[in-house]
Amino acid sequence: MDITLHSTFLPHEDAEASLTFYRDVLGFAVRNDVGSGRMRWITVAPAGTDGPSIVLYPPEADPGVTDDERRTIAEMMAKGTYGIIVLATKDLDGAFTALQSRGAEVVQEPIEQPYGIRDCAFRDPAGNLVRINQVG
């Protein structure tokens, strides 16, 4: 069986703020941008790659979500406990310095984790946790 990761979804509260973070701060390329206002889906991925992408989406657009669930999602997003993505780089210190200088909200400076991974963490404008692991 040949299965690969195609895309993953992260919620946004403000499409423009999320677009600015992923495009201008992280340096990702925009692959698709559909909808308008709060009902906007933006697909981004590391520039120069054709691999997996992140779809930034409005969580309130799902018709199967109740009003109570929407409130819970909004509360979790506000606390930064709803969406998480883990990225990777060969130069963690360089990536950390670059993102910090571009105004990214630092959650954790580079550190050696007890489980053997060196990483750092930021928060995107919607509260999603963006962890970056050092690889290679």
Side-chain angles (χ1 to χ4, degrees), residues 28-67:
F28 282 16
V30 177
R31 290 189 177 166
N32 201 5
D33 188 342
V34 297
S36 63
R38 290 195 50 83
M39 292 298 142
R40 189 167 162 199
W41 289 255
I42 304 165
T43 305
V44 296
T49 67
D50 60 356
S53 58
I54 300 169
V55 180
L56 305 168
Y57 75 102
E60 65 271 13
D62 186 339
V65 177
T66 67
D67 288 341

PDB file of all heavy atoms in Angstrom, residues 28-67:
ATOM      1  N   PHE A  28       5.940  30.342   3.747  1.00  0.00           N
ATOM      2  CA  PHE A  28       5.241  29.331   2.965  1.00  0.00           C
ATOM      3  C   PHE A  28       4.656  29.945   1.694  1.00  0.00           C
ATOM      4  O   PHE A  28       4.384  31.137   1.633  1.00  0.00           O
ATOM      5  CB  PHE A  28       4.109  28.706   3.782  1.00  0.00           C
ATOM      6  CG  PHE A  28       4.566  27.678   4.793  1.00  0.00           C
ATOM      7  CD1 PHE A  28       5.888  27.569   5.189  1.00  0.00           C
ATOM      8  CD2 PHE A  28       3.659  26.810   5.361  1.00  0.00           C
ATOM      9  CE1 PHE A  28       6.293  26.628   6.121  1.00  0.00           C
ATOM     10  CE2 PHE A  28       4.040  25.862   6.283  1.00  0.00           C
ATOM     11  CZ  PHE A  28       5.362  25.760   6.667  1.00  0.00           C
ATOM     12  N   ALA A  29       4.439  29.094   0.712  1.00  0.00           N
ATOM     13  CA  ALA A  29       3.799  29.504  -0.542  1.00  0.00           C
ATOM     14  C   ALA A  29       2.295  29.255  -0.436  1.00  0.00           C
ATOM     15  O   ALA A  29       1.862  28.293   0.197  1.00  0.00           O
ATOM     16  CB  ALA A  29       4.364  28.711  -1.710  1.00  0.00           C
ATOM     17  N   VAL A  30       1.516  30.114  -1.059  1.00  0.00           N
ATOM     18  CA  VAL A  30       0.063  29.944  -1.099  1.00  0.00           C
ATOM     19  C   VAL A  30      -0.265  29.079  -2.313  1.00  0.00           C
ATOM     20  O   VAL A  30       0.061  29.425  -3.439  1.00  0.00           O
ATOM     21  CB  VAL A  30      -0.662  31.309  -1.195  1.00  0.00           C
ATOM     22  CG1 VAL A  30      -2.168  31.104  -1.314  1.00  0.00           C
ATOM     23  CG2 VAL A  30      -0.321  32.168   0.013  1.00  0.00           C
ATOM     24  N   ARG A  31      -0.895  27.956  -2.081  1.00  0.00           N
ATOM     25  CA  ARG A  31      -1.275  27.040  -3.164  1.00  0.00           C
ATOM     26  C   ARG A  31      -2.709  27.259  -3.628  1.00  0.00           C
ATOM     27  O   ARG A  31      -3.035  26.981  -4.771  1.00  0.00           O
ATOM     28  CB  ARG A  31      -1.112  25.595  -2.715  1.00  0.00           C
ATOM     29  CG  ARG A  31       0.334  25.184  -2.547  1.00  0.00           C
ATOM     30  CD  ARG A  31       0.444  23.716  -2.310  1.00  0.00           C
ATOM     31  NE  ARG A  31       1.830  23.299  -2.222  1.00  0.00           N
ATOM     32  CZ  ARG A  31       2.208  22.136  -1.763  1.00  0.00           C
ATOM     33  NH1 ARG A  31       1.302  21.247  -1.366  1.00  0.00           N
ATOM     34  NH2 ARG A  31       3.491  21.832  -1.713  1.00  0.00           N
ATOM     35  N   ASN A  32      -3.548  27.735  -2.716  1.00  0.00           N
ATOM     36  CA  ASN A  32      -4.947  27.968  -3.076  1.00  0.00           C
ATOM     37  C   ASN A  32      -5.534  28.946  -2.064  1.00  0.00           C
ATOM     38  O   ASN A  32      -5.129  28.968  -0.903  1.00  0.00           O
ATOM     39  CB  ASN A  32      -5.732  26.655  -3.069  1.00  0.00           C
ATOM     40  CG  ASN A  32      -6.987  26.709  -3.888  1.00  0.00           C
ATOM     41  OD1 ASN A  32      -7.259  27.698  -4.559  1.00  0.00           O
ATOM     42  ND2 ASN A  32      -7.771  25.644  -3.856  1.00  0.00           N
ATOM     43  N   ASP A  33      -6.480  29.748  -2.510  1.00  0.00           N
ATOM     44  CA  ASP A  33      -7.134  30.725  -1.647  1.00  0.00           C
ATOM     45  C   ASP A  33      -8.549  30.899  -2.186  1.00  0.00           C
ATOM     46  O   ASP A  33      -8.741  31.509  -3.233  1.00  0.00           O
ATOM     47  CB  ASP A  33      -6.350  32.042  -1.677  1.00  0.00           C
ATOM     48  CG  ASP A  33      -6.843  33.058  -0.660  1.00  0.00           C
ATOM     49  OD1 ASP A  33      -7.973  32.919  -0.152  1.00  0.00           O
ATOM     50  OD2 ASP A  33      -6.098  34.025  -0.400  1.00  0.00           O
ATOM     51  N   VAL A  34      -9.518  30.306  -1.476  1.00  0.00           N
ATOM     52  CA  VAL A  34     -10.905  30.362  -1.951  1.00  0.00           C
ATOM     53  C   VAL A  34     -11.820  30.894  -0.856  1.00  0.00           C
ATOM     54  O   VAL A  34     -11.521  30.788   0.327  1.00  0.00           O
ATOM     55  CB  VAL A  34     -11.405  28.979  -2.429  1.00  0.00           C
ATOM     56  CG1 VAL A  34     -10.589  28.493  -3.614  1.00  0.00           C
ATOM     57  CG2 VAL A  34     -11.375  27.964  -1.313  1.00  0.00           C
ATOM     58  N   GLY A  35     -12.932  31.455  -1.265  1.00  0.00           N
ATOM     59  CA  GLY A  35     -13.889  32.030  -0.341  1.00  0.00           C
ATOM     60  C   GLY A  35     -13.559  33.484  -0.085  1.00  0.00           C
ATOM     61  O   GLY A  35     -12.707  34.080  -0.748  1.00  0.00           O
ATOM     62  N   SER A  36     -14.238  34.054   0.908  1.00  0.00           N
ATOM     63  CA  SER A  36     -13.979  35.450   1.252  1.00  0.00           C
ATOM     64  C   SER A  36     -14.398  35.704   2.693  1.00  0.00           C
ATOM     65  O   SER A  36     -15.163  34.947   3.281  1.00  0.00           O
ATOM     66  CB  SER A  36     -14.745  36.386   0.313  1.00  0.00           C
ATOM     67  OG  SER A  36     -16.139  36.192   0.472  1.00  0.00           O
ATOM     68  N   GLY A  37     -13.863  36.785   3.243  1.00  0.00           N
ATOM     69  CA  GLY A  37     -14.191  37.152   4.622  1.00  0.00           C
ATOM     70  C   GLY A  37     -13.836  36.046   5.589  1.00  0.00           C
ATOM     71  O   GLY A  37     -12.789  35.436   5.496  1.00  0.00           O
ATOM     72  N   ARG A  38     -14.749  35.763   6.521  1.00  0.00           N
ATOM     73  CA  ARG A  38     -14.509  34.690   7.497  1.00  0.00           C
ATOM     74  C   ARG A  38     -14.646  33.309   6.872  1.00  0.00           C
ATOM     75  O   ARG A  38     -14.154  32.334   7.425  1.00  0.00           O
ATOM     76  CB  ARG A  38     -15.460  34.837   8.680  1.00  0.00           C
ATOM     77  CG  ARG A  38     -15.117  36.055   9.540  1.00  0.00           C
ATOM     78  CD  ARG A  38     -15.773  36.065  10.901  1.00  0.00           C
ATOM     79  NE  ARG A  38     -15.637  34.858  11.682  1.00  0.00           N
ATOM     80  CZ  ARG A  38     -14.584  34.534  12.445  1.00  0.00           C
ATOM     81  NH1 ARG A  38     -13.546  35.324  12.481  1.00  0.00           N
ATOM     82  NH2 ARG A  38     -14.584  33.429  13.162  1.00  0.00           N
ATOM     83  N   MET A  39     -15.329  33.201   5.748  1.00  0.00           N
ATOM     84  CA  MET A  39     -15.508  31.909   5.074  1.00  0.00           C
ATOM     85  C   MET A  39     -14.448  31.750   3.978  1.00  0.00           C
ATOM     86  O   MET A  39     -14.725  31.754   2.785  1.00  0.00           O
ATOM     87  CB  MET A  39     -16.916  31.799   4.478  1.00  0.00           C
ATOM     88  CG  MET A  39     -17.998  31.722   5.510  1.00  0.00           C
ATOM     89  SD  MET A  39     -17.786  30.241   6.523  1.00  0.00           S
ATOM     90  CE  MET A  39     -18.237  30.875   8.111  1.00  0.00           C
ATOM     91  N   ARG A  40     -13.206  31.610   4.403  1.00  0.00           N
ATOM     92  CA  ARG A  40     -12.088  31.560   3.469  1.00  0.00           C
ATOM     93  C   ARG A  40     -11.186  30.377   3.822  1.00  0.00           C
ATOM     94  O   ARG A  40     -10.845  30.184   4.983  1.00  0.00           O
ATOM     95  CB  ARG A  40     -11.319  32.872   3.573  1.00  0.00           C
ATOM     96  CG  ARG A  40     -10.270  33.073   2.524  1.00  0.00           C
ATOM     97  CD  ARG A  40      -9.835  34.524   2.558  1.00  0.00           C
ATOM     98  NE  ARG A  40      -8.558  34.717   1.897  1.00  0.00           N
ATOM     99  CZ  ARG A  40      -7.790  35.761   2.090  1.00  0.00           C
ATOM    100  NH1 ARG A  40      -8.153  36.721   2.924  1.00  0.00           N
ATOM    101  NH2 ARG A  40      -6.645  35.870   1.456  1.00  0.00           N
ATOM    102  N   TRP A  41     -10.820  29.597   2.804  1.00  0.00           N
ATOM    103  CA  TRP A  41      -9.934  28.459   2.950  1.00  0.00           C
ATOM    104  C   TRP A  41      -8.642  28.789   2.206  1.00  0.00           C
ATOM    105  O   TRP A  41      -8.659  29.068   1.010  1.00  0.00           O
ATOM    106  CB  TRP A  41     -10.557  27.199   2.357  1.00  0.00           C
ATOM    107  CG  TRP A  41     -11.699  26.656   3.154  1.00  0.00           C
ATOM    108  CD1 TRP A  41     -11.666  25.562   3.960  1.00  0.00           C
ATOM    109  CD2 TRP A  41     -13.043  27.147   3.215  1.00  0.00           C
ATOM    110  NE1 TRP A  41     -12.901  25.350   4.534  1.00  0.00           N
ATOM    111  CE2 TRP A  41     -13.767  26.320   4.090  1.00  0.00           C
ATOM    112  CE3 TRP A  41     -13.705  28.222   2.631  1.00  0.00           C
ATOM    113  CZ2 TRP A  41     -15.100  26.508   4.381  1.00  0.00           C
ATOM    114  CZ3 TRP A  41     -15.031  28.427   2.927  1.00  0.00           C
ATOM    115  CH2 TRP A  41     -15.723  27.570   3.788  1.00  0.00           C
ATOM    116  N   ILE A  42      -7.510  28.734   2.922  1.00  0.00           N
ATOM    117  CA  ILE A  42      -6.217  29.077   2.337  1.00  0.00           C
ATOM    118  C   ILE A  42      -5.299  27.868   2.487  1.00  0.00           C
ATOM    119  O   ILE A  42      -5.086  27.376   3.598  1.00  0.00           O
ATOM    120  CB  ILE A  42      -5.588  30.298   3.036  1.00  0.00           C
ATOM    121  CG1 ILE A  42      -6.550  31.489   3.003  1.00  0.00           C
ATOM    122  CG2 ILE A  42      -4.247  30.650   2.403  1.00  0.00           C
ATOM    123  CD1 ILE A  42      -6.174  32.602   3.954  1.00  0.00           C
ATOM    124  N   THR A  43      -4.770  27.400   1.367  1.00  0.00           N
ATOM    125  CA  THR A  43      -3.860  26.260   1.396  1.00  0.00           C
ATOM    126  C   THR A  43      -2.439  26.770   1.231  1.00  0.00           C
ATOM    127  O   THR A  43      -2.142  27.487   0.279  1.00  0.00           O
ATOM    128  CB  THR A  43      -4.201  25.266   0.266  1.00  0.00           C
ATOM    129  OG1 THR A  43      -5.581  24.891   0.385  1.00  0.00           O
ATOM    130  CG2 THR A  43      -3.333  24.029   0.344  1.00  0.00           C
ATOM    131  N   VAL A  44      -1.580  26.407   2.188  1.00  0.00           N
ATOM    132  CA  VAL A  44      -0.181  26.844   2.189  1.00  0.00           C
ATOM    133  C   VAL A  44       0.728  25.634   2.350  1.00  0.00           C
ATOM    134  O   VAL A  44       0.308  24.584   2.840  1.00  0.00           O
ATOM    135  CB  VAL A  44       0.098  27.863   3.318  1.00  0.00           C
ATOM    136  CG1 VAL A  44      -0.700  29.146   3.114  1.00  0.00           C
ATOM    137  CG2 VAL A  44      -0.186  27.261   4.683  1.00  0.00           C
ATOM    138  N   ALA A  45       1.983  25.806   1.932  1.00  0.00           N
ATOM    139  CA  ALA A  45       2.980  24.743   2.073  1.00  0.00           C
ATOM    140  C   ALA A  45       4.361  25.373   2.001  1.00  0.00           C
ATOM    141  O   ALA A  45       4.513  26.489   1.484  1.00  0.00           O
ATOM    142  CB  ALA A  45       2.815  23.709   0.963  1.00  0.00           C
ATOM    143  N   PRO A  46       5.364  24.672   2.513  1.00  0.00           N
ATOM    144  CA  PRO A  46       6.713  25.211   2.396  1.00  0.00           C
ATOM    145  C   PRO A  46       7.027  25.552   0.933  1.00  0.00           C
ATOM    146  O   PRO A  46       6.732  24.768   0.027  1.00  0.00           O
ATOM    147  CB  PRO A  46       7.596  24.071   2.909  1.00  0.00           C
ATOM    148  CG  PRO A  46       6.703  23.334   3.873  1.00  0.00           C
ATOM    149  CD  PRO A  46       5.336  23.409   3.241  1.00  0.00           C
ATOM    150  N   ALA A  47       7.592  26.734   0.717  1.00  0.00           N
ATOM    151  CA  ALA A  47       7.908  27.193  -0.638  1.00  0.00           C
ATOM    152  C   ALA A  47       8.871  26.218  -1.310  1.00  0.00           C
ATOM    153  O   ALA A  47       9.756  25.656  -0.672  1.00  0.00           O
ATOM    154  CB  ALA A  47       8.519  28.589  -0.585  1.00  0.00           C
ATOM    155  N   GLY A  48       8.656  26.004  -2.588  1.00  0.00           N
ATOM    156  CA  GLY A  48       9.548  25.160  -3.376  1.00  0.00           C
ATOM    157  C   GLY A  48       9.332  23.669  -3.199  1.00  0.00           C
ATOM    158  O   GLY A  48      10.149  22.874  -3.656  1.00  0.00           O
ATOM    159  N   THR A  49       8.251  23.287  -2.543  1.00  0.00           N
ATOM    160  CA  THR A  49       7.965  21.864  -2.360  1.00  0.00           C
ATOM    161  C   THR A  49       6.644  21.516  -3.017  1.00  0.00           C
ATOM    162  O   THR A  49       5.818  22.379  -3.275  1.00  0.00           O
ATOM    163  CB  THR A  49       7.873  21.486  -0.864  1.00  0.00           C
ATOM    164  OG1 THR A  49       6.719  22.114  -0.296  1.00  0.00           O
ATOM    165  CG2 THR A  49       9.128  21.897  -0.109  1.00  0.00           C
ATOM    166  N   ASP A  50       6.460  20.234  -3.282  1.00  0.00           N
ATOM    167  CA  ASP A  50       5.164  19.787  -3.796  1.00  0.00           C
ATOM    168  C   ASP A  50       4.553  18.747  -2.863  1.00  0.00           C
ATOM    169  O   ASP A  50       3.660  18.028  -3.216  1.00  0.00           O
ATOM    170  CB  ASP A  50       5.289  19.243  -5.218  1.00  0.00           C
ATOM    171  CG  ASP A  50       6.226  18.051  -5.320  1.00  0.00           C
ATOM    172  OD1 ASP A  50       6.844  17.673  -4.308  1.00  0.00           O
ATOM    173  OD2 ASP A  50       6.341  17.483  -6.419  1.00  0.00           O
ATOM    174  N   GLY A  51       5.047  18.712  -1.637  1.00  0.00           N
ATOM    175  CA  GLY A  51       4.567  17.752  -0.650  1.00  0.00           C
ATOM    176  C   GLY A  51       3.324  18.221   0.069  1.00  0.00           C
ATOM    177  O   GLY A  51       2.544  19.032  -0.451  1.00  0.00           O
ATOM    178  N   PRO A  52       3.132  17.737   1.282  1.00  0.00           N
ATOM    179  CA  PRO A  52       1.921  18.030   2.054  1.00  0.00           C
ATOM    180  C   PRO A  52       1.687  19.520   2.268  1.00  0.00           C
ATOM    181  O   PRO A  52       2.626  20.316   2.288  1.00  0.00           O
ATOM    182  CB  PRO A  52       2.185  17.338   3.397  1.00  0.00           C
ATOM    183  CG  PRO A  52       3.201  16.296   3.105  1.00  0.00           C
ATOM    184  CD  PRO A  52       4.048  16.858   2.008  1.00  0.00           C
ATOM    185  N   SER A  53       0.430  19.870   2.440  1.00  0.00           N
ATOM    186  CA  SER A  53       0.054  21.270   2.644  1.00  0.00           C
ATOM    187  C   SER A  53      -0.814  21.402   3.892  1.00  0.00           C
ATOM    188  O   SER A  53      -1.306  20.429   4.436  1.00  0.00           O
ATOM    189  CB  SER A  53      -0.693  21.798   1.421  1.00  0.00           C
ATOM    190  OG  SER A  53      -1.833  21.012   1.171  1.00  0.00           O
ATOM    191  N   ILE A  54      -0.976  22.641   4.314  1.00  0.00           N
ATOM    192  CA  ILE A  54      -1.847  22.984   5.435  1.00  0.00           C
ATOM    193  C   ILE A  54      -3.011  23.785   4.870  1.00  0.00           C
ATOM    194  O   ILE A  54      -2.803  24.753   4.144  1.00  0.00           O
ATOM    195  CB  ILE A  54      -1.104  23.841   6.480  1.00  0.00           C
ATOM    196  CG1 ILE A  54       0.108  23.101   7.034  1.00  0.00           C
ATOM    197  CG2 ILE A  54      -2.052  24.257   7.602  1.00  0.00           C
ATOM    198  CD1 ILE A  54       1.026  23.977   7.863  1.00  0.00           C
ATOM    199  N   VAL A  55      -4.223  23.378   5.209  1.00  0.00           N
ATOM    200  CA  VAL A  55      -5.412  24.130   4.823  1.00  0.00           C
ATOM    201  C   VAL A  55      -5.874  24.910   6.049  1.00  0.00           C
ATOM    202  O   VAL A  55      -6.226  24.323   7.074  1.00  0.00           O
ATOM    203  CB  VAL A  55      -6.534  23.215   4.305  1.00  0.00           C
ATOM    204  CG1 VAL A  55      -7.757  24.048   3.920  1.00  0.00           C
ATOM    205  CG2 VAL A  55      -6.056  22.363   3.139  1.00  0.00           C
ATOM    206  N   LEU A  56      -5.817  26.216   5.951  1.00  0.00           N
ATOM    207  CA  LEU A  56      -6.304  27.096   7.010  1.00  0.00           C
ATOM    208  C   LEU A  56      -7.788  27.311   6.741  1.00  0.00           C
ATOM    209  O   LEU A  56      -8.162  27.771   5.662  1.00  0.00           O
ATOM    210  CB  LEU A  56      -5.533  28.414   6.986  1.00  0.00           C
ATOM    211  CG  LEU A  56      -4.008  28.244   7.066  1.00  0.00           C
ATOM    212  CD1 LEU A  56      -3.306  29.557   6.732  1.00  0.00           C
ATOM    213  CD2 LEU A  56      -3.602  27.735   8.433  1.00  0.00           C
ATOM    214  N   TYR A  57      -8.623  26.956   7.682  1.00  0.00           N
ATOM    215  CA  TYR A  57     -10.060  26.931   7.413  1.00  0.00           C
ATOM    216  C   TYR A  57     -10.855  27.594   8.543  1.00  0.00           C
ATOM    217  O   TYR A  57     -10.395  27.667   9.672  1.00  0.00           O
ATOM    218  CB  TYR A  57     -10.532  25.488   7.228  1.00  0.00           C
ATOM    219  CG  TYR A  57     -10.614  24.726   8.536  1.00  0.00           C
ATOM    220  CD1 TYR A  57     -11.848  24.526   9.152  1.00  0.00           C
ATOM    221  CD2 TYR A  57      -9.483  24.214   9.158  1.00  0.00           C
ATOM    222  CE1 TYR A  57     -11.935  23.850  10.359  1.00  0.00           C
ATOM    223  CE2 TYR A  57      -9.568  23.537  10.361  1.00  0.00           C
ATOM    224  CZ  TYR A  57     -10.789  23.356  10.957  1.00  0.00           C
ATOM    225  OH  TYR A  57     -10.884  22.693  12.147  1.00  0.00           O
ATOM    226  N   PRO A  58     -12.063  28.037   8.226  1.00  0.00           N
ATOM    227  CA  PRO A  58     -12.945  28.619   9.252  1.00  0.00           C
ATOM    228  C   PRO A  58     -13.715  27.501   9.956  1.00  0.00           C
ATOM    229  O   PRO A  58     -14.575  26.865   9.350  1.00  0.00           O
ATOM    230  CB  PRO A  58     -13.883  29.515   8.439  1.00  0.00           C
ATOM    231  CG  PRO A  58     -13.934  28.862   7.091  1.00  0.00           C
ATOM    232  CD  PRO A  58     -12.607  28.198   6.875  1.00  0.00           C
ATOM    233  N   PRO A  59     -13.435  27.220  11.218  1.00  0.00           N
ATOM    234  CA  PRO A  59     -14.086  26.086  11.873  1.00  0.00           C
ATOM    235  C   PRO A  59     -15.599  26.226  11.976  1.00  0.00           C
ATOM    236  O   PRO A  59     -16.312  25.231  12.031  1.00  0.00           O
ATOM    237  CB  PRO A  59     -13.439  26.050  13.257  1.00  0.00           C
ATOM    238  CG  PRO A  59     -12.908  27.416  13.473  1.00  0.00           C
ATOM    239  CD  PRO A  59     -12.543  27.940  12.109  1.00  0.00           C
ATOM    240  N   GLU A  60     -16.097  27.448  11.962  1.00  0.00           N
ATOM    241  CA  GLU A  60     -17.548  27.642  12.057  1.00  0.00           C
ATOM    242  C   GLU A  60     -18.278  27.253  10.772  1.00  0.00           C
ATOM    243  O   GLU A  60     -19.513  27.208  10.751  1.00  0.00           O
ATOM    244  CB  GLU A  60     -17.886  29.080  12.447  1.00  0.00           C
ATOM    245  CG  GLU A  60     -17.499  30.123  11.431  1.00  0.00           C
ATOM    246  CD  GLU A  60     -16.087  30.675  11.606  1.00  0.00           C
ATOM    247  OE1 GLU A  60     -15.293  30.110  12.347  1.00  0.00           O
ATOM    248  OE2 GLU A  60     -15.788  31.691  10.971  1.00  0.00           O
ATOM    249  N   ALA A  61     -17.546  26.957   9.710  1.00  0.00           N
ATOM    250  CA  ALA A  61     -18.178  26.613   8.439  1.00  0.00           C
ATOM    251  C   ALA A  61     -18.723  25.191   8.410  1.00  0.00           C
ATOM    252  O   ALA A  61     -19.539  24.861   7.559  1.00  0.00           O
ATOM    253  CB  ALA A  61     -17.186  26.798   7.296  1.00  0.00           C
ATOM    254  N   ASP A  62     -18.298  24.331   9.309  1.00  0.00           N
ATOM    255  CA  ASP A  62     -18.749  22.940   9.318  1.00  0.00           C
ATOM    256  C   ASP A  62     -20.208  22.876   9.761  1.00  0.00           C
ATOM    257  O   ASP A  62     -20.524  23.216  10.912  1.00  0.00           O
ATOM    258  CB  ASP A  62     -17.870  22.123  10.258  1.00  0.00           C
ATOM    259  CG  ASP A  62     -18.180  20.639  10.222  1.00  0.00           C
ATOM    260  OD1 ASP A  62     -19.291  20.245   9.797  1.00  0.00           O
ATOM    261  OD2 ASP A  62     -17.300  19.857  10.620  1.00  0.00           O
ATOM    262  N   PRO A  63     -21.121  22.429   8.888  1.00  0.00           N
ATOM    263  CA  PRO A  63     -22.542  22.403   9.251  1.00  0.00           C
ATOM    264  C   PRO A  63     -22.874  21.372  10.320  1.00  0.00           C
ATOM    265  O   PRO A  63     -23.921  21.448  10.948  1.00  0.00           O
ATOM    266  CB  PRO A  63     -23.243  22.073   7.932  1.00  0.00           C
ATOM    267  CG  PRO A  63     -22.215  21.359   7.129  1.00  0.00           C
ATOM    268  CD  PRO A  63     -20.891  21.945   7.531  1.00  0.00           C
ATOM    269  N   GLY A  64     -21.966  20.426  10.584  1.00  0.00           N
ATOM    270  CA  GLY A  64     -22.224  19.398  11.576  1.00  0.00           C
ATOM    271  C   GLY A  64     -21.853  19.808  12.987  1.00  0.00           C
ATOM    272  O   GLY A  64     -22.064  19.054  13.935  1.00  0.00           O
ATOM    273  N   VAL A  65     -21.315  21.011  13.150  1.00  0.00           N
ATOM    274  CA  VAL A  65     -20.888  21.486  14.461  1.00  0.00           C
ATOM    275  C   VAL A  65     -22.013  22.300  15.085  1.00  0.00           C
ATOM    276  O   VAL A  65     -22.552  23.214  14.471  1.00  0.00           O
ATOM    277  CB  VAL A  65     -19.602  22.343  14.333  1.00  0.00           C
ATOM    278  CG1 VAL A  65     -19.198  22.912  15.675  1.00  0.00           C
ATOM    279  CG2 VAL A  65     -18.466  21.517  13.753  1.00  0.00           C
ATOM    280  N   THR A  66     -22.347  21.948  16.314  1.00  0.00           N
ATOM    281  CA  THR A  66     -23.423  22.659  17.013  1.00  0.00           C
ATOM    282  C   THR A  66     -22.909  23.995  17.553  1.00  0.00           C
ATOM    283  O   THR A  66     -21.700  24.229  17.616  1.00  0.00           O
ATOM    284  CB  THR A  66     -23.948  21.825  18.197  1.00  0.00           C
ATOM    285  OG1 THR A  66     -22.914  21.736  19.184  1.00  0.00           O
ATOM    286  CG2 THR A  66     -24.391  20.433  17.754  1.00  0.00           C
ATOM    287  N   ASP A  67     -23.827  24.849  17.989  1.00  0.00           N
ATOM    288  CA  ASP A  67     -23.442  26.128  18.580  1.00  0.00           C
ATOM    289  C   ASP A  67     -22.584  25.923  19.827  1.00  0.00           C
ATOM    290  O   ASP A  67     -21.614  26.643  20.044  1.00  0.00           O
ATOM    291  CB  ASP A  67     -24.672  26.969  18.915  1.00  0.00           C
ATOM    292  CG  ASP A  67     -25.350  27.522  17.670  1.00  0.00           C
ATOM    293  OD1 ASP A  67     -24.686  27.571  16.604  1.00  0.00           O
ATOM    294  OD2 ASP A  67     -26.528  27.899  17.757  1.00  0.00           O
TER     295      ASP A  67
END
